[in-house]
Amino acid sequence: CSTLRALNPDYPRMYAVAAMADEGKRRWWQLSVGLDDGRVEQMYRRSLEDLEVPHAAAVQVATALIHAVVGRVAALLVLEARAWDPGIENLWIHMDSDGGIDWAGVASPILRVLPEDPAAGEPGTVTLPCEQALLVWTAHRCLTSLGSVYRAISERAPLDARVFWALVGDAILGASTYVPILAGTGPSAGTRRGQLLLDAMVAAGAPVRSRVGVPGRQRLRAS
């Protein structure tokens, strides 16, 4: 967590997660509950007020939730070959005072690590046999959240499935490209792990390598 907070000192919550046992519940909501209790609709309506374009508003909401699910854990993967559980029953979302997502939390902070990790065998870790196993496990756990996120948004806003999964791919590529730069480390390990995570997603049925135009992308950047 300290490593992730240090990536961007001006915005330390950008990649970090919180252990929910240490947090109060103000402005927090559980992903498995909040997707169906009006939170997504509230986020979409707020984005629509700002952007005035339904497709762009849907993309903005999807991008924020995708980053909370996979962008953050991908950052830890590319840096340290570690991962917390990004499954839907483990993730919590924190909203800022403007109703945007600024943090994420985990009910269980147990990390999956590799045998050569200095923390392997320590309390709070589960050791997986190899890097491929770690990436496949992470991809499948992410998909439990991402599938529900897509359904929750698409039921309330115009969001094409191809666009959603392209955004997931962008989140992984962004982490594997920019996080090593922020950390001042070499890009090769991060790039390789990012590609392997994309491969694991594709193997699990998520078309994250599809390249499609994202409606509202230019308008979002301008905003």
Side-chain angles (χ1 to χ4, degrees):
C1 188
S2 297
T3 299
L4 295 175
R5 291 179 68 88
L7 289 175
N8 191 336
D10 291 332
Y11 301 97
R13 293 180 176 180
M14 178 176 291
Y15 292 104
V17 293
M20 292 308 300
D22 300 329
E23 298 295 323
K25 294 301 189 287
R26 184 170 180 266
R27 293 181 181 169
W28 285 100
W29 50 276
Q30 191 173 9
L31 187 64
S32 61
V33 176
L35 292 177
D36 295 316
D37 73 353
R39 305 277 185 170
V40 171
E41 187 171 355
Q42 182 181 3
M43 291 174 64
Y44 173 65
R45 288 180 177 177
R46 183 178 291 272
S47 293
L48 190 57
E49 289 177 2
D50 292 338
L51 300 175
E52 300 179 350
V53 179
H55 288 296
V59 166
Q60 187 175 72
V61 173
T63 299
L65 286 167
I66 287 167
H67 177 70
V69 173
V70 72
R72 293 170 183 269
V73 74
L76 185 59
L77 272 173
V78 302
L79 280 182
E80 297 186 351
R82 295 174 170 180
W84 57 78
D85 183 359
I88 188 169
E89 71 279 4
N90 197 45
L91 283 179
W92 288 69
I93 303 296
H94 187 270
M95 312 296 287
D96 61 23
S97 57
D98 295 323
I101 297 174
D102 69 343
W103 208 5
V106 287
S108 169
I110 292 174
L111 291 178
R112 270 63 182 179
V113 301
L114 298 179
E116 62 270 21
D117 193 299
E122 295 293 324
T125 67
V126 172
T127 303
L128 298 183
C130 62
E131 188 176 66
Q132 183 66 20
L134 174 64
L135 293 163
V136 169
W137 178 86
T138 304
H140 280 265
R141 295 302 293 156
C142 282
L143 291 176
T144 69
S145 297
L146 292 170
S148 295
V149 166
Y150 172 69
R151 287 191 295 272
I153 299 174
S154 63
E155 288 172 359
R156 298 163 174 83
L159 182 64
D160 185 84
R162 294 172 302 168
V163 170
F164 178 83
W165 293 111
L167 291 170
V168 174
D170 286 348
I172 295 170
L173 288 173
S176 62
T177 301
Y178 295 114
V179 167
I181 294 173
L182 293 173
T185 61
S188 58
T191 299
R192 179 176 53 79
R193 289 175 189 147
Q195 291 298 320
L196 289 173
L197 183 57
L198 288 171
D199 289 342
M201 290 273 190
V202 171
V208 294
R209 291 190 180 277
S210 300
R211 309 314 304 161
V212 296
V214 178
R217 175 64 63 84
Q218 292 182 342
R219 180 67 176 272
L220 271 173
R221 288 175 175 170
S223 301

